[in-house]
């Protein structure tokens, strides 16, 4: 072979070796880049693990880097949107559950977990809701593809719920909105009871006034003694109506916070003695022994003195009304931890155990009180609101024929 031939073979061999080295070098870079891509695919932030402008594969690396960077930005935007929607969901006071086509809960919020318990996601809607009417509403929406709504009362928890099922025809999932209407229903019941009670309380004096006026117009005016008796009775009924209107207005103002308390340091002993002094004459006329016995060295309390005296006078008045002649009424004020506890104890007819839990309700009067007449059934309700406005608590203990004790506490400074 000639020198030229050897030279050509040598050049071709060098070229082949260089191309082979370039091939294996490029192969190593591609394998390394492939492994980097696999690692990046398992990371939450793949774009940060990739490099652009890799020698020999610049076009590929730049394209992949741009693609992953775009994906990463979209992922960040999606996460921000998800966080915003999650925050909105948690602020919604109604329970929200999104149930997939197979009946598994996928998304929920804090209000739904408060109603049905925690750990709802991943559970079956049947086991999570645990009430056939709620489940039936979801099932109807799934079967018909139409919005369903139902009002449901849960006897176990004494809750009243409004459930609305909104189906999604594209995905087959259903959005369940659950509203807790327990408080609204309770307020509606209170409103109805209030109207019913007012109507009942007004009916008796108005019927009495009507009968008295008809009797007077029927000829009783010509009989002066009878006319005077009827007019006296009419005055009593008018006074009762006036008292009821005044107490209703007072209770409404207290409940709405329109009666600001004039808080100042008050001596519990002086408060107790002042209330006893006001009711002393009335107790003596009823043949009762009324005594105030405050503990020594009681601390001052932050209170509206006139309002708390109103509470004491009301409790003493009730004790006088339901204690037979010869009975005793004792007033106490004692230290009770961070409170001062006031007590009004009598030896009267007592209160039936069935009536005791309800005596502080508006217009509630036990049968024993009704038979005796008088009173509007608002005094104890007013007393409760005044005590609670001071940050205290009021309650009663009683046994029929063994007397009653009314307590209320007021916090110390």
């Amino acid at each position: 072979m000639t020198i030229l031939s050897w030279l050509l073979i040598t050049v071709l061999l060098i070229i082949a070796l260089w191309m082979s080295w370039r091939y294996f070098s490029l192969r190593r870079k591609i394998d390394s880049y492939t492994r980097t891509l696999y690692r990046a695919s398992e990371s939450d932030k793949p774009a940060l693990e990739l490099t652009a402008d890799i020698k020999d594969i610049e076009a590929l690396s730049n394209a992949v880097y741009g693609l992953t960077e775009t994906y990463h930005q979209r992922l960040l935007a999606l996460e921000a949107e998800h966080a915003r929607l999650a925050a909105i969901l948690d602020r919604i006071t109604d329970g929200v559950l999104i149930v997939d086509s197979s009946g598994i809960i996928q998304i929920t919020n804090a209000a739904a977990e408060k109603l049905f318990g925690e750990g709802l996601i991943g559970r079956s809607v049947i086991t999570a809701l645990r009430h056939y009417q709620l489940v039936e509403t979801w099932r109807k929406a799934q079967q018909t593809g139409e919005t369903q709504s139902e009002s449901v009362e849960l006897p176990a928890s004494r809750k009243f719920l409004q459930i609305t099922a909104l189906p999604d025809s594209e995905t087959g999932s259903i959005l369940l909105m659950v509203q807790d209407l327990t408080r609204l229903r309770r307020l509606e019941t209170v409103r109805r009871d209030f109207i019913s009670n007012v109507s009942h309380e007004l009916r008796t004096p108005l019927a009495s006034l009507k009968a008295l006026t008809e009797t007077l117009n029927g000829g009783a005016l010509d009989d002066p003694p009878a006319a005077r008796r009827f007019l006296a009775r009419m005055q009593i009924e008018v006074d009762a109506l006036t008292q009821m209107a005044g107490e209703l207005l007072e209770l409404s103002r207290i409940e709405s916070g329109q009666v600001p308390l004039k808080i100042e340091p008050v001596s519990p002993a002086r408060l107790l003695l002042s209330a006893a002094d006001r009711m002393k004459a009335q107790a003596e006329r009823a043949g009762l022994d009324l005594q105030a016995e405050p503990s020594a060295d009681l601390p001052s309390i932050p209170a509206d003195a006139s309002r708390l005296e109103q509470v004491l006078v009301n409790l003493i008045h009730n004790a006088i009304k339901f204690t037979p002649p010869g009975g005793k009424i004792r007033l106490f004020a004692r230290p009770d931890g961070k409170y001062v506890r006031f007590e009004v104890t009598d030896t009267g007819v007592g209160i039936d155990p069935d009536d005791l839990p309800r005596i502080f309700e508006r217009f509630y009067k036990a049968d024993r009180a009704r038979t005796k007449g008088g009173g509007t059934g608002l005094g104890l309700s007013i007393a409760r609101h005044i005590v609670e406005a001071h940050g205290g608590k009021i309650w009663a203990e009683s046994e029929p024929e063994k007397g009653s004790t009314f307590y209320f506490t007021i916090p110390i400074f």
Side-chain angles (χ1 to χ4, degrees):
M1 297 180 65
T2 62
I3 295 176
L4 182 61
S5 298
W6 278 108
L7 184 61
L8 180 60
I9 291 172
T10 302
V11 170
L12 290 174
L13 183 60
I14 291 172
I15 291 173
L17 289 173
W18 179 81
M19 291 183 66
S20 177
W21 176 81
R22 289 285 296 170
Y23 169 77
F24 285 110
S25 175
L26 182 61
R27 180 63 183 268
R28 284 196 303 271
K29 288 181 180 180
I30 291 175
D31 288 344
S32 175
Y33 194 65
T34 301
R35 288 193 296 271
T36 302
L37 285 176
Y38 276 121
R39 287 197 305 270
S41 67
E42 297 172 356
S43 171
D44 292 334
K45 300 178 180 179
L48 301 181
E49 295 192 11
L50 296 177
T51 305
D53 296 323
I54 298 178
K55 189 177 180 180
D56 299 324
I57 55 171
E58 290 92 341
L60 175 62
S61 62
N62 288 341
V64 173
Y65 182 83
L67 180 64
T68 54
E69 185 67 26
T70 301
Y71 164 75
H72 182 58
Q73 294 301 323
R74 290 180 178 175
L75 181 62
L76 289 177
L78 186 62
E79 288 175 348
E81 183 69 14
H82 181 271
R84 188 174 71 86
L85 291 176
I88 292 173
L89 263 181
D90 281 338
R91 289 190 180 97
I92 294 176
T93 56
D94 297 335
V96 176
L97 303 97
I98 296 180
V99 185
D100 65 15
S101 57
S102 60
I104 303 301
I105 297 173
Q106 301 296 325
I107 298 175
T108 185
N109 69 343
E113 293 187 347
K114 186 177 179 181
L115 287 171
F116 303 110
E118 297 181 354
L120 296 176
I121 294 177
R123 291 177 57 188
S124 163
V125 67
I126 297 175
T127 60
L129 299 186
R130 302 189 306 276
H131 192 278
Y132 76 95
Q133 285 180 282
L134 298 175
V135 174
E136 189 62 25
T137 303
W138 163 75
R139 202 186 302 278
K140 284 182 181 177
Q142 187 182 49
Q143 292 172 351
T144 64
E146 299 177 353
T147 300
Q148 303 291 326
S149 185
E150 189 71 40
S151 297
V152 180
E153 188 168 7
L154 308 181
S157 59
R158 302 181 67 181
K159 289 184 179 294
F160 187 77
L161 305 179
Q162 174 80 25
I163 182 171
T164 303
L166 304 168
D168 184 347
S169 58
E170 294 184 2
T171 63
S173 62
I174 294 178
L175 170 65
L176 298 178
M177 294 284 293
V178 185
Q179 294 177 286
D180 187 352
L181 303 180
T182 306
R183 184 172 179 273
L184 291 177
R185 186 169 188 184
R186 188 176 295 121
L187 289 174
E188 179 63 21
T189 301
V190 170
R191 185 188 67 82
R192 286 199 306 266
D193 290 346
F194 177 76
I195 294 174
S196 175
N197 288 332
V198 170
S199 301
H200 175 80
E201 295 297 332
L202 289 175
R203 187 180 298 117
T204 300
L206 289 175
S208 179
L209 286 171
K210 187 174 186 299
L212 290 168
T213 54
E214 288 176 350
T215 304
L216 288 172
N217 287 328
L221 282 173
D222 297 330
D223 183 356
R228 282 193 292 272
R229 288 199 309 273
F230 289 146
L231 288 173
R233 183 59 190 171
M234 290 175 69
Q235 182 65 48
I236 293 173
E237 299 295 351
V238 170
D239 289 344
L241 288 171
T242 302
Q243 179 187 356
M244 184 186 302
E247 290 185 349
L248 278 172
L249 179 61
E250 174 82 352
L251 184 59
S252 175
R253 292 173 62 198
I254 292 174
E255 288 181 336
S256 62
Q258 295 180 10
V259 181
L261 298 176
K262 298 178 182 178
I263 302 296
E264 57 186 5
V266 175
S267 166
R270 186 175 300 174
L271 194 64
L272 202 70
L273 293 170
S274 176
D277 187 59
R278 284 181 57 182
M279 301 301 292
K280 195 81 171 180
Q282 186 174 338
E284 289 175 352
R285 286 196 300 270
L288 303 174
D289 178 24
L290 172 63
Q291 299 292 334
E293 302 175 11
S295 298
D297 301 325
L298 283 171
S300 295
I301 54 175
D304 186 323
S306 63
R307 288 291 176 183
L308 285 191
E309 187 169 328
Q310 178 184 355
V311 173
L312 285 167
V313 166
N314 181 284
L315 298 179
I316 297 168
H317 175 75
N318 283 348
I320 292 172
K321 185 162 56 174
F322 298 112
T323 301
K328 296 180 180 180
I329 300 174
R330 293 291 182 264
L331 314 181
F332 302 98
R334 315 176 195 268
D336 186 8
K338 296 181 180 180
Y339 298 84
V340 170
R341 186 177 75 244
F342 294 86
E343 302 175 18
V344 178
T345 300
D346 64 58
T347 58
V349 296
I351 303 170
D352 190 275
D354 294 334
D355 295 320
L356 196 58
R358 302 189 59 191
I359 58 176
F360 294 101
E361 296 179 12
R362 287 180 296 186
F363 290 112
Y364 190 81
K365 293 190 288 186
D367 290 340
R368 195 179 295 274
R370 290 187 184 279
T371 58
K372 196 162 183 175
T376 62
L378 294 171
L380 288 179
S381 182
I382 292 173
R384 176 173 63 86
H385 281 286
I386 292 174
V387 170
E388 290 177 353
H390 282 79
K393 179 183 176 182
I394 187 170
W395 71 99
E397 296 176 356
S398 181
E399 289 186 42
E401 310 303 334
K402 293 186 178 180
S404 306
T405 300
F406 283 78
Y407 305 88
F408 69 90
T409 57
I410 301 296
I412 303 169
F413 279 104

